[in-house]
Amino acid sequence: MKKILNLLLIGAVAVGFSACKKYLDINTNTNNATTATPALVLPQAIVGSASIVQSLNAAYYFPGGFAANIYGVGGYGAGVTYAYTAGSFVTGFSSSYDNALDYQYVIDNTSGTPSLAYSTAIARIMKAFVFSKIVDQYNDVPYSEALKGNALLTPKYDKAEDIYKDLISQLTSTINAITAAQAGTVANTVVASADPLFKGDMNLWKKFANTLKLRMLVKMAGVPAQASYATTEFAALNTTIGFLTTDALVNPGYVKAINSQGVSQQNPNYGSLAFGTDNTRSQGQAIPTRWIMSFYNGLKLSDPGRGAVIYRGYPSTAVNQLGEENTTSSQVPPSGSTSWFTGVDANTPGLGVAKGPSQGQPLILAAESYFLQAEAYTRGYLTGDAKNAFTAGITASFNYLYQNQSNVVDASKNVNADVATYLTANTASRLVNFDLALTTDQKIEAIITQKYIALNVIHSDEAFNEFKRTTYPAIVNGSQDPLLTFASKQSVSTRPDKLIGRVLYPQSEYNLNPTNVPSVTLFGSRIFWDLN
């Protein structure tokens, strides 16, 4: 078979983004107030963000080290060579701005009404979330002059660092606005049905905003030119609000069905890794990498608990190295299923990452929140117990993966017992037992490696971001050993690690905004927080 559905890369992004607008779409122009209201736009925008998050996740299955090509299929193209063009990852840019425009519409139409303060706050937080994701993909992007529609078609590109700073300022003021509204005399509510993320719980929204701030500040603090700013912001961070201790899951009522527009209404991650609504398997041309499986099967770490719920047929799941085409006929997905679905069949949900069509879609996992805290404590950005946060991150990862699509830990699973087993089985590894990590670098390696494992095919893009920022999990540059690197054997990258530095701006920007779009290269340019 020479023709493949490249949904692991460009195709997945295109499909995912087109679906995100249609799931709860109410009109084609959210600036037309006669056909849309903030109460209708806000929930569909949140669901749109969830779809965008999954599309970014899917786009990095291959370049992030999580999935590889299979036996008997060619034509993977840029999926194995990394020769991406300005036509790759296109909708990661355009649909994110479309999504941000929805939030701007809500802000513009609610900010003057005290009784709608919570709606304004949610839209501002989610707009910051979306722009943080845009910056992490493209670095300098339109921001201060963006979202103005026909009034300004060629917005300037703002510096990534400046955008981060404004997003952090926006999050701080929004947290304060929520607190003021909670203590005020004007009644403020967001009904659960209008909030598919936290069901109107504004304390959770504050934790979400605080966690997003923490993510950005940790990235900024490692950049010498931004260290002073980050130090000041860390000192001012309101830690009494706390950070996420539960998974931030969007769920508007995902269901295994097609809506009147012919668009799937099931969870996008399940649809990407398991089955379509017609029970057709989604991943017939991809299997896990030898690299990622080594963190479960004992070659690097032993983790049968999580391995068994993530991978079908574990520990005998077929694996490959990206770009390796000299494979055997056994290196194919399970017959009638995918490598990432562990339920009985397409009509019987399971656990792991592809639980079932009605599962929630994670925006930020509790595991990531804890690992961010662990890094902040280790580096001295905040005061806290790094080991406890590290262990809590591992536990939260087990907890999420052991849950069914109804967010209930399966009766056959014991999270605490299996975490204890994991620690014992890897008692000699400093990547699992934090006490063995003696230096700051060793502790950061343990934290980021565990974050990488926790984000496996859930937030592959963020896992890859963190690898670029920290160089962990550690690889051997230039190696073709699948246990020493996840770089493709067919990589055309000129970097020492044979990976990409960043994705390119879409061709539409070079066509429509040529005087403002920066000149960048796939292998030579980097995101501002990537110093490696």
Side-chain angles (χ1 to χ4, degrees), residues 256 267 270 273-275 305-306 308-312 337-338 340-360 398-413:
K256 185 177 180 178
N267 172 275
Y270 176 83
L273 292 171
F275 300 97
R306 287 184 289 184
V309 295
I310 296 174
Y311 298 113
R312 193 171 193 85
S337 188
T338 77
W340 293 274
F341 177 72
T342 57
V344 175
D345 55 46
N347 294 311
T348 310
L351 307 176
V353 292
K355 306 172 189 294
S358 298
Q359 71 184 76
F398 272 83
N399 189 70
Y400 174 73
L401 294 170
Y402 280 9
Q403 290 176 6
N404 58 28
Q405 66 175 344
S406 299
N407 305 327
V408 176
V409 173
D410 188 80
S412 68
K413 301 297 181 182

Side-chain angles (χ1 to χ4, degrees), residues 27-49:
N27 64 291
T28 57
N29 179 8
T30 56
N31 292 308
N32 185 346
T34 63
T35 57
T37 66
L40 290 176
V41 172
L42 185 57
Q44 69 88 18
I46 294 172
V47 177
S49 296

Side-chain angles (χ1 to χ4, degrees), residues 19 22-25 47 250-271 275-277 356-359:
K22 293 179 180 177
Y23 186 93
L24 287 177
D25 222 3
V47 177
V250 172
N251 199 330
Y254 291 122
V255 63
K256 185 177 180 178
I258 298 291
N259 68 12
S260 60
Q261 296 175 303
V263 176
S264 171
Q265 293 180 285
Q266 66 180 5
N267 172 275
N269 199 11
Y270 176 83
F275 300 97
T277 55
S358 298
Q359 71 184 76

Side-chain angles (χ1 to χ4, degrees), residues 75-406:
Y76 285 85
V80 295
T81 64
Y82 304 145
Y84 304 120
T85 69
S88 308
F89 301 93
V90 171
T91 47
F93 192 91
S94 59
S95 288
S96 292
Y97 275 96
D98 189 24
N99 190 229
L101 185 62
D102 286 349
Y103 293 121
Q104 188 63 52
Y105 169 80
V106 175
I107 294 167
D108 292 343
N109 287 276
T110 62
S111 58
T113 306
S115 62
L116 297 178
Y118 289 167
S119 295
T120 307
I122 291 171
R124 291 178 71 188
I125 292 169
M126 288 304 299
K127 178 186 170 186
F129 175 80
V130 170
F131 267 105
S132 73
K133 301 288 278 188
I134 297 173
V135 169
D136 287 345
Q137 292 294 309
Y138 296 99
N139 206 47
D140 298 349
V141 293
Y143 178 69
S144 61
E145 293 183 354
L147 310 182
K148 298 185 184 298
N150 292 333
L152 184 57
L153 297 177
T154 56
K156 71 175 183 178
Y157 275 61
D158 294 287
K159 298 295 294 182
E161 302 93 323
D162 294 338
I163 298 172
Y164 254 42
K165 290 176 181 178
D166 192 67
L167 296 180
I168 289 168
S169 176
Q170 293 292 323
L171 290 168
T172 299
S173 62
T174 302
I175 290 171
N176 293 337
I178 294 173
T179 300
Q182 289 173 320
T185 57
V186 177
N188 265 281
T189 59
V190 174
V191 297
S193 60
D195 178 6
L197 180 50
F198 293 124
K199 312 305 179 188
D201 188 330
M202 298 311 295
N203 287 324
L204 284 177
W205 275 107
K206 290 196 289 187
K207 290 178 185 292
F208 180 83
N210 229 26
T211 306
L212 181 56
K213 283 180 62 176
L214 179 62
R215 178 197 276 176
M216 290 190 286
L217 285 172
V218 165
K219 288 178 178 176
M220 294 188 80
V223 181
Q226 307 303 322
S228 177
Y229 166 82
T231 297
T232 300
E233 289 298 319
F234 272 121
L237 192 66
N238 187 347
T239 55
T240 60
I241 291 172
F243 306 102
L244 286 174
T245 58
T246 56
D247 303 307
L249 304 176
V250 172
N251 199 330
Y254 291 122
V255 63
K256 185 177 180 178
I258 298 291
N259 68 12
S260 60
Q261 296 175 303
V263 176
S264 171
Q265 293 180 285
Q266 66 180 5
N267 172 275
N269 199 11
Y270 176 83
S272 172
L273 292 171
F275 300 97
T277 55
D278 60 355
N279 290 345
T280 300
R281 68 178 181 178
S282 305
Q283 293 293 349
Q285 296 173 343
I287 55 178
T289 59
R290 296 184 186 277
W291 161 266
I292 190 61
M293 192 61 73
S294 69
F295 291 100
Y296 301 90
N297 65 9
L299 293 180
K300 282 192 177 76
L301 299 174
S302 177
D303 190 356
R306 287 184 289 184
V309 295
I310 296 174
Y311 298 113
R312 193 171 193 85
Y314 178 89
S316 300
T317 308
V319 294
N320 190 28
Q321 182 178 10
L322 185 63
E324 175 61 71
E325 294 188 304
N326 185 25
T327 55
T328 67
S329 60
S330 62
Q331 289 173 287
V332 293
S335 177
S337 188
T338 77
S339 300
W340 293 274
F341 177 72
T342 57
V344 175
D345 55 46
N347 294 311
T348 310
L351 307 176
V353 292
K355 306 172 189 294
S358 298
Q359 71 184 76
Q361 184 65 36
L363 295 190
I364 299 179
L365 290 174
E368 182 186 355
S369 173
Y370 283 121
F371 290 130
L372 285 167
Q373 293 171 62
E375 180 172 357
Y377 301 151
T378 296
R379 295 190 187 274
Y381 302 151
L382 296 174
T383 300
D385 191 319
K387 179 182 176 181
N388 282 350
F390 175 79
T391 304
I394 294 175
T395 303
S397 175
F398 272 83
N399 189 70
Y400 174 73
L401 294 170
Y402 280 9
Q403 290 176 6
N404 58 28
Q405 66 175 344
S406 299

